[in-house]
């Protein structure tokens, strides 16, 4: 009896994973708008009715993926906080990690930017343990840098955080002949040149 329950649970977990994996593949290849639920289930090799056992819509998959991305960013930030690194290094690592994750999951970028643009990210996009959001993470790094004398104090931390949000947005819509990551790295260098206090 226990074994059959475990088998059933394993089958549920495997089916859900197959749906998410198929969605990620198709969102990346065809784009979110062009991918239908039927396409996802065909790719997952499951019946279309099975989709609704796990998700209400393909947007729900996107939100689930966004939650995972935000959790990954939060966990990386929490790890960085345990290391004695200068604020500029923490900021650089956070920007590049966020850019790398978003570059790999471009289909989630519009939802990420929309959520990050709000003063408080919806609860489902917060890390359950810390409640941290994209804005609060960057705000705390910049404020810490200002308090320790690493960053200029004459520019509001919130404005600098807003600039970093704009960096991801501008890079995602850029028509320049360079990769998303290269674009982010150039913009990051320009911002750091403007806020880091030289000793």
């Amino acid at each position: 009896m226990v074994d059959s329950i475990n088998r059933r649970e394993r089958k549920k977990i495997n089916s859900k994973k197959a749906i998410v994996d198929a969605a990620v593949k198709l969102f990346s290849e065809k784009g979110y708008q062009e991918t239908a639920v039927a396409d996802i289930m065909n790719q997952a090799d499951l019946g279309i009715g099975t989709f609704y056992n796990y998700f209400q819509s393909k947007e729900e998959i996107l939100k689930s993926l966004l939650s995972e991305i935000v959790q990954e960013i939060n966990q990386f930030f929490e790890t960085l906080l345990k290391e004695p690194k200068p604020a500029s290094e923490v900021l650089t690592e956070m920007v590049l990690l966020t850019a790398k994750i978003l570059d790999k999951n471009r289909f989630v970028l519009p939802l990420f930017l929309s959520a990050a643009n709000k003063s408080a990210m919806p609860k489902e996009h917060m890390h359950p343990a810390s409640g941290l959001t994209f804005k609060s993470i960057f705000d705390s790094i910049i404020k810490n840098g200002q308090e320790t004398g690493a960053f200029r104090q004459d520019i509001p931390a919130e404005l600098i955080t807003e600039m970093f949000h704009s960096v991801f947005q501008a890079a995602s819509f850029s028509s320049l002949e360079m990769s998303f990551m290269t674009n982010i790295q150039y913009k990051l260098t320009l911002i750091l040149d403007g806020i880091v206090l030289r000793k």
Side-chain angles (χ1 to χ4, degrees):
M1 179 70 180
V2 172
D3 191 45
S4 68
I5 291 170
N6 287 341
R7 242 195 334 264
R8 203 177 314 133
E9 287 305 311
R10 278 199 303 273
K11 188 179 176 189
K12 278 184 178 179
I13 290 165
N14 291 339
S15 295
K16 187 173 183 180
K17 186 180 183 310
I19 294 167
V20 171
D21 289 348
V24 168
K25 185 175 189 297
L26 292 172
F27 290 165
S28 299
E29 291 173 359
K30 296 174 64 173
Y32 173 74
Q33 295 296 343
E34 289 71 28
T35 301
V37 169
D39 299 328
I40 294 169
M41 298 313 286
N42 187 43
Q43 177 71 36
D45 198 23
L46 293 166
I48 197 160
T50 306
F51 179 88
Y52 299 99
N53 292 336
Y54 303 97
F55 301 100
Q56 295 300 310
S57 64
K58 62 178 186 167
E59 186 188 15
E60 199 174 310
I61 296 179
L62 205 57
K63 285 181 178 177
S64 170
L65 291 167
L66 178 61
S67 290
E68 286 176 23
I69 287 169
V70 172
Q71 283 184 34
E72 188 177 344
I73 292 168
N74 277 317
Q75 284 163 1
F76 184 72
F77 176 58
E78 286 164 6
T79 303
L80 277 180
L81 288 181
K82 294 171 187 165
E83 301 170 17
K85 292 187 175 185
S88 60
E89 201 175 314
V90 172
L91 189 56
T92 297
E93 289 191 34
M94 283 303 302
V95 169
L96 294 180
L97 171 87
T98 303
K100 187 177 171 186
I101 293 171
L102 292 175
D103 192 31
K104 198 173 78 178
N105 302 282
R106 295 299 285 275
F107 53 85
V108 86
L109 191 60
L111 186 60
F112 176 86
L113 291 171
S114 169
N117 194 32
K118 294 174 175 61
S119 57
M121 198 175 278
K123 283 192 176 112
E124 67 266 26
H125 304 319
M126 288 185 179
H127 189 287
S130 64
L132 292 172
T133 66
F134 175 84
K135 279 197 168 186
S136 68
I137 287 173
F138 280 79
D139 257 354
S140 69
I141 296 169
I142 293 155
K143 283 176 180 168
N144 178 59
Q146 288 176 329
E147 286 164 13
T148 58
F151 297 152
R152 290 170 55 177
Q153 296 178 346
D154 59 326
I155 305 171
E158 296 78 12
L159 189 136
I160 300 169
T161 299
E162 196 175 75
M163 285 173 67
F164 279 107
H165 174 263
S166 301
V167 160
F168 293 114
Q169 195 160 22
S172 68
F173 293 111
S174 176
S175 58
L176 298 174
E177 292 292 319
M178 64 177 72
S179 71
F180 178 78
M181 285 301 296
T182 302
N183 194 309
I184 293 284
Q185 284 168 329
Y186 277 127
K187 287 178 167 68
L188 173 61
T189 301
L190 286 170
I191 295 174
L192 286 175
D193 282 349
I195 67 169
V196 172
L197 282 173
R198 306 295 172 195
K199 293 179 182 177

